[in-house]
Amino acid sequence: MILDLSDYGKFLTVSAFKTPQGIDPTGLLKELRTRLPNAELQFFDCNHVAGIEHLEMAAVNALRAFRNSINVSRNLSMETLLYASAQRQIDVAIQMLGVTSSSQSVGFVAFSETRDFAELLENKIAGTIAAKLDMSLLEEWSNEKADGIRDMYGIKNAELEALRLPGLEMKEIISKAIVERVALLSTRT
């Protein structure tokens, strides 16, 4: 999926893949960053991501932080990880959302200057990992994932009840709570 964020001078590629057998996602990220030096690229463990909107909002807020000179990190990919984790400390953000050798599904964002380069990035990433990209991995939910995300972000039952609207599933309520945390990160000092 390629999103037009041209208001910020960027295009955003968001997708995911199943980690190929015997491949360490951390090493793969380093390899891709070496092969694609003009791309800002960040991996996330899908088990800790509350959907596509979670990553999209993190990316937009990271771009806004750079535009307003309130960024914490020196690069856009790390700033996106910070926003996605709703944290200001890089080591905490990496611990929360970063990939490890046990990550089975990996979500990613990649920033580019043009739509053509965004499409090229998507193809290069898919070719390098030798796996099919599958955005639906970002939207997969289980009770275990929901409980893990709630614990990770400190989402209490009272907050979920306050966000509950008729017709919303629990995953949508949890996602909404996280998106609020992502948006509020820039207001913290």
Side-chain angles (χ1 to χ4, degrees):
M1 165 190 234
I2 297 173
L3 302 169
D4 183 348
L5 302 178
S6 54
D7 288 350
Y8 297 96
K10 299 286 184 183
F11 286 84
L12 179 69
T13 303
V14 180
S15 199
F17 58 89
K18 290 271 189 201
T19 305
Q21 192 71 20
I23 299 291
D24 176 15
T26 306
L28 184 57
L29 178 59
K30 288 177 186 173
E31 179 185 342
L32 281 166
R33 285 181 172 162
T34 300
R35 285 185 179 194
L36 305 166
N38 295 330
E40 290 278 352
L41 176 65
Q42 186 62 56
F43 280 5
F44 303 86
D45 188 313
C46 283
N47 284 329
H48 305 156
V49 174
I52 295 166
E53 184 182 16
H54 179 185
L55 295 183
E56 181 182 348
M57 291 303 298
V60 168
N61 279 286
L63 286 164
R64 192 173 294 133
F66 271 89
R67 177 185 279 175
N68 297 329
S69 300
I70 58 169
N71 49 298
V72 173
S73 69
R74 285 180 264 152
N75 66 56
L76 192 52
S77 58
M78 185 56 65
E79 194 74 11
T80 303
L81 181 67
L82 288 168
Y83 272 94
S85 68
Q87 299 292 319
R88 288 211 174 271
Q89 295 181 359
I90 292 171
D91 58 335
V92 175
I94 292 170
Q95 187 177 14
M96 284 179 69
L97 294 174
V99 293
T100 65
S101 59
S102 62
S103 297
Q104 295 177 356
S105 296
V106 176
F108 69 87
V109 297
F111 295 90
S112 58
E113 306 291 325
T114 66
R115 179 174 290 281
D116 288 344
F117 191 60
E119 290 171 4
L120 177 69
L121 275 175
E122 200 170 40
N123 293 331
K124 288 252 187 206
I125 292 167
T128 301
I129 61 173
K132 182 182 173 200
L133 298 183
D134 182 0
M135 277 190 350
S136 70
L137 295 170
L138 291 167
E139 298 294 335
E140 287 182 354
W141 282 82
S142 66
N143 289 336
E144 182 180 87
K145 178 179 175 174
D147 290 344
I149 288 175
R150 283 184 60 193
D151 289 344
M152 185 180 302
Y153 286 91
I155 301 170
K156 306 288 184 215
N157 287 337
E159 182 179 358
L160 293 176
E161 286 304 315
L163 292 170
R164 187 180 301 273
L165 295 172
L168 282 185
E169 294 181 30
M170 184 55 68
K171 71 179 188 175
E172 294 168 309
I173 297 167
I174 292 170
S175 180
K176 185 175 180 158
I178 291 171
V179 167
E180 284 182 10
R181 281 169 170 71
V182 169
L184 290 172
L185 182 62
S186 64
T187 64
R188 292 189 209 158
T189 55

